[in-house]
Amino acid sequence: MFDSVAFIGLGAMGYRMAAHLPAHIANVMVWNRTFEKAQQHAIEYGTQAVSLQDAVQADVIISCLPTSEDVQKLLDQIQPKAGSIWIDCTSGEPDQAKPIAARLAAHQVQYLDAPVSGQTIGAQNATLTFMVGGDHTTFLQAQPLLQHMGQLIQYVGESGAGFAVKAINNMLLAVNLCAVAEGFTTLKAHGVSLPDALKCINASSGKSMVTETVLPQRILNREFPLTFALPLLAKDTGIAMKLVHQAKLAAPVLAQTQMMIQAAHLTAQPDSDFSAAVKMYEQWSKITLE
Amino acid sequence: MFDSVAFIGLGAMGYRMAAHLPAHIANVMVWNRTFEKAQQHAIEYGTQAVSLQDAVQADVIISCLPTSEDVQKLLDQIQPKAGSIWIDCTSGEPDQAKPIAARLAAHQVQYLDAPVSGQTIGAQNATLTFMVGGDHTTFLQAQPLLQHMGQLIQYVGESGAGFAVKAINNMLLAVNLCAVAEGFTTLKAHGVSLPDALKCINASSGKSMVTETVLPQRILNREFPLTFALPLLAKDTGIAMKLVHQAKLAAPVLAQTQMMIQAAHLTAQPDSDFSAAVKMYEQWSKITLE
Amino acid sequence: MFDSVAFIGLGAMGYRMAAHLPAHIANVMVWNRTFEKAQQHAIEYGTQAVSLQDAVQADVIISCLPTSEDVQKLLDQIQPKAGSIWIDCTSGEPDQAKPIAARLAAHQVQYLDAPVSGQTIGAQNATLTFMVGGDHTTFLQAQPLLQHMGQLIQYVGESGAGFAVKAINNMLLAVNLCAVAEGFTTLKAHGVSLPDALKCINASSGKSMVTETVLPQRILNREFPLTFALPLLAKDTGIAMKLVHQAKLAAPVLAQTQMMIQAAHLTAQPDSDFSAAVKMYEQWSKITLE
Amino acid sequence: MFDSVAFIGLGAMGYRMAAHLPAHIANVMVWNRTFEKAQQHAIEYGTQAVSLQDAVQADVIISCLPTSEDVQKLLDQIQPKAGSIWIDCTSGEPDQAKPIAARLAAHQVQYLDAPVSGQTIGAQNATLTFMVGGDHTTFLQAQPLLQHMGQLIQYVGESGAGFAVKAINNMLLAVNLCAVAEGFTTLKAHGVSLPDALKCINASSGKSMVTETVLPQRILNREFPLTFALPLLAKDTGIAMKLVHQAKLAAPVLAQTQMMIQAAHLTAQPDSDFSAAVKMYEQWSKITLE
């Protein structure tokens, strides 16, 4: 096991993920751009709030930032320790994984792309799914550490593969979000009770994570709690489409979904939860999904 | 309870559904256009193969035909018994439910649209979902009978509401089928192992009935067992779009999906299972989902 | 030639079309639901404002109403003269043409579906295009009369064919409207001068009626003059999609366009010109097409 | 005027474009990867077939290659002359224009992106449209030279703007190609004569370059002459979508079109003309556009 782990990026996910580490690791350092958050984490969970330069001297660095561009900017400022492992939980760009890995390899640092799924509740309960790309031996070294924060720690292929699986997963979430909004609006327009329809669909072949949790827990109750921001879902669908374009494939339903999520994001309130994408459809139809 | 029930239409679903009735009902009659099937059912399950004219003298008639048009044609030929209940398990057209109900009401027959979900395995195990539209009192009378063939027997609204929920359910199935085909083709093009990706997605927010059962049990194993024919899914997505158009809504992801399923159907082998819709994408990409 | 012609429906198109007839026909009757319009037309152009019952005693009746449903309602109220010809310039429903023709045939009246293209300016200058479906001999009789109001009087096939061509024409207009809105928004986002880009495209393979007239004369100048209402274009794209669905075809770009025009219509101001559909894209992008 | 001009890339377009220069320029050099083509051009038009190193010593270099990547590879091999102008008629990538301009600026060479529209017939008759991006003073210097090969020589903005306008133009061509294929298939399915429908639409608001020239001259006559290859149109629609994604816009009809062109390209014969994209729709519908 590792003596020291540094966690970089204490957002809604990272803050909760890092909280599990002190129970297993002697020296858990945390760093965040808004440094008060790191200090608060230290008080709350017994981690150490340190400078960025100190953080990158850890045996393992875990980063959890909004975009791959943010990771690249971070790398401009630091000198990581040779022999360490960098685990990047950002929902990043697959075609950035190899360039980032190469930059770190120049410092003798191994890089894993290891984005997560499971939202803040999964981060809190250590039930996240980690989709990991990179060197397989490094993965085996990192796996026990990730197990402290997640349930399924899955190796999916070479550098960038983790980011790719995450992007497609979130695209499938987006597809269901749009399709459910469109389908349930149609049912309500025809006088069908949405809770009754939902019971049927959740016992049938049309069910998905969106019908099982997003629709009842976020939309029908009109709560739209901000745990995964709509602009981030828009970003992820964009990453998925980039994968489609790079492979020169035809993916019409994904392309269509990306456009709808993009339109929903462009017309949404700032700080909207991803589930609020349905509000675009509600504005179109004057039908409220409740 | 009812003394006599007639089951009309012994296709892949009806044959299995009717098999559960003799355990609970004294007189179970069956009729099928290809009459040998009815005779075989009688031998196998102790039902009675009868003429269509006799069948419609039952207390309850259950029909399970390919389309609402087939139901209309059947009604041209018969004189149902006053006071009976007609339960139509066809995946029918919502805007045909009221005209059919009116035709039957002229004979003092109550009509319920009660399409099912759960496929042949659900028909066999009596775990189907019934989505029922029509008069609520009639629903309450029919419910115990339907319970012999299903798990969830759900009332969803007035005449046509059952067909509407079924159409939207199957549209959501179609959306996931297309999106999963597109997404997994993209992942394979980028070198990701599909079984590993599937494990991640089934533990994440992108999961759906398609990722949980259709992809592993029909597609990745290259079996495509014919239990629900692609032309029927194409028909159902067409019904869903008709609901959208009638309500003058904008449903771009559903519209797109309908077109892809239609194109897949137009280019598929006859007697293709709905899961074989992915083969259109495979022909486009030269990538096999396995 | 005909002694008497009645023009029914003096909207933006009909008012201007009927104005050309008195120069060629002895007895030109006009009728309009808001009867003042008919009286004004009589004063302005020397036609006769008559009752609906009198109008349908003419040798030829020309109708120009918003929808086929309006034509059907009109037929409920009248008793047309045997031996007359009914020319329906409504942008109607192809599958309504044969039922309407049958209703009129019961009165020994021949029916032609003869929708027009060319907008109010074409109506005013008698340069409209007439797309005519129905009996060919009747077409040959009607052609000289239509020539007073149009330039190209084209027979396109049996009853309903005229409506079908009109619906597809307007769908192609809608496709270009959406695509031009999307494309020019993109160019402006990248800093390109729209008038300069327009010059290039109008000299190139991307040109269409939308780039040649709609964009410069209605959109870039921000005038959006109401000559063809957005709800009517939405209706016409719906008719086109019905043709697609009836023929069980896959037409993804048309389906997509219909959804965008529908969404634009649902969010537009009342009394919007069709060209104002671009405002939906402008709201999305915060980029004004000027 | 310039004493020497070198033309690099004698494909279907370049070969015809370069043929106009000897009438106006003393020293016209040509170079092509398959050098026999350059030698043949010299014999046919009095140009000089030279080595690549000699070509780039000209006062003006005109390149006309398949992709921006080809231009970048060419730049790897050469040392252009300080003070010269490089006019790039490739249908290139907007986001490659500035990097290429920067590489050439390091040699004191001015770069204009100047893609053309008008197809081989326009190249032959010197009626091309040039859409030019880059430094405006350089444009004014280059304009008289381009005028020998084209009709409209239009400045559209800074470096990359020419490529952007070309990509959007070709996207609009693609939109019309798909929409016309879908629309005319629908008309034929309903029994309408396509030549008659085409006459109406070309006199109406649905007309476009595709209805005016592509459909009658390439498709309905079943000739599909190879003058602009389908993979190049697929590439151009991909460039247009990249512009959409970079600007974070929602352009659903363009996205849909790109996917259809991509699918048509993936399933087409090699060496298909762009107009052969309609064959995908013909395979779907079993309806031939003739």
Side-chain angles (χ1 to χ4, degrees), chain D residues 100-290:
Chain D
I100 293 175
R103 287 184 72 173
L104 286 168
H107 297 279
Q108 267 93 49
V109 175
Q110 287 285 347
Y111 176 76
L112 297 172
D113 51 303
V116 299
S117 178
Q119 301 195 22
T120 49
I121 183 78
Q124 189 160 332
N125 297 341
T127 55
L128 294 173
T129 299
F130 285 79
M131 315 163 194
V132 190
D135 174 63
H136 192 251
T137 307
T138 308
F139 166 74
L140 292 175
Q141 291 174 279
Q143 191 173 22
L145 177 65
L146 298 179
Q147 202 71 62
H148 301 321
M149 299 179 287
Q151 198 151 37
L152 176 66
I153 318 299
Q154 180 68 47
Y155 181 75
V156 291
E158 60 180 26
S159 205
F163 288 157
V165 174
K166 179 70 197 289
I168 295 299
N169 177 76
N170 281 16
M171 177 56 102
L172 293 178
L173 169 65
V175 166
N176 277 293
L177 186 59
C178 292
V180 163
E182 297 177 8
F184 276 73
T185 301
T186 304
L187 286 175
K188 193 163 178 187
H190 286 273
V192 176
S193 143
L194 297 194
D196 290 345
L198 186 58
K199 272 185 232 162
C200 294
I201 287 171
N202 276 335
S204 300
S205 54
K207 86 170 173 185
S208 65
M209 189 59 110
V210 170
T211 59
E212 290 180 312
T213 72
V214 179
L215 186 58
Q217 296 171 14
R218 290 169 183 258
I219 299 171
L220 293 180
N221 63 7
R222 312 308 292 165
E223 290 191 1
F224 304 101
L226 175 50
T227 60
F228 175 42
L230 181 51
L232 292 178
L233 182 61
K235 180 205 67 168
D236 291 345
T237 59
I239 293 173
M241 287 315 298
K242 213 170 167 184
L243 289 171
V244 171
H245 290 305
Q246 285 165 345
K248 297 190 187 303
L249 298 171
V253 173
L254 304 191
Q256 192 47 41
T257 297
Q258 203 260 326
M259 288 302 165
M260 289 302 104
I261 291 293
Q262 187 64 22
H265 156 49
L266 290 170
T267 53
Q269 302 288 332
D271 292 327
S272 288
D273 185 61
F274 76 101
S275 55
V278 304
K279 291 183 181 178
M280 177 179 73
Y281 292 104
E282 296 184 336
Q283 284 158 16
W284 289 357
S285 64
K286 323 288 188 263
I287 288 172
T288 306
L289 292 172
E290 63 187 347

Side-chain angles (χ1 to χ4, degrees), chain C residues 10 44 85 93 118 124 178-179 184 186 195 205 233 237 241 279:
Chain C
L10 301 170
E44 203 168 342
I85 298 175
E93 307 248 358
Q124 187 159 334
C178 292
F184 277 74
T186 305
S205 53
L233 183 60
T237 60
M241 286 317 296
K279 291 184 183 177

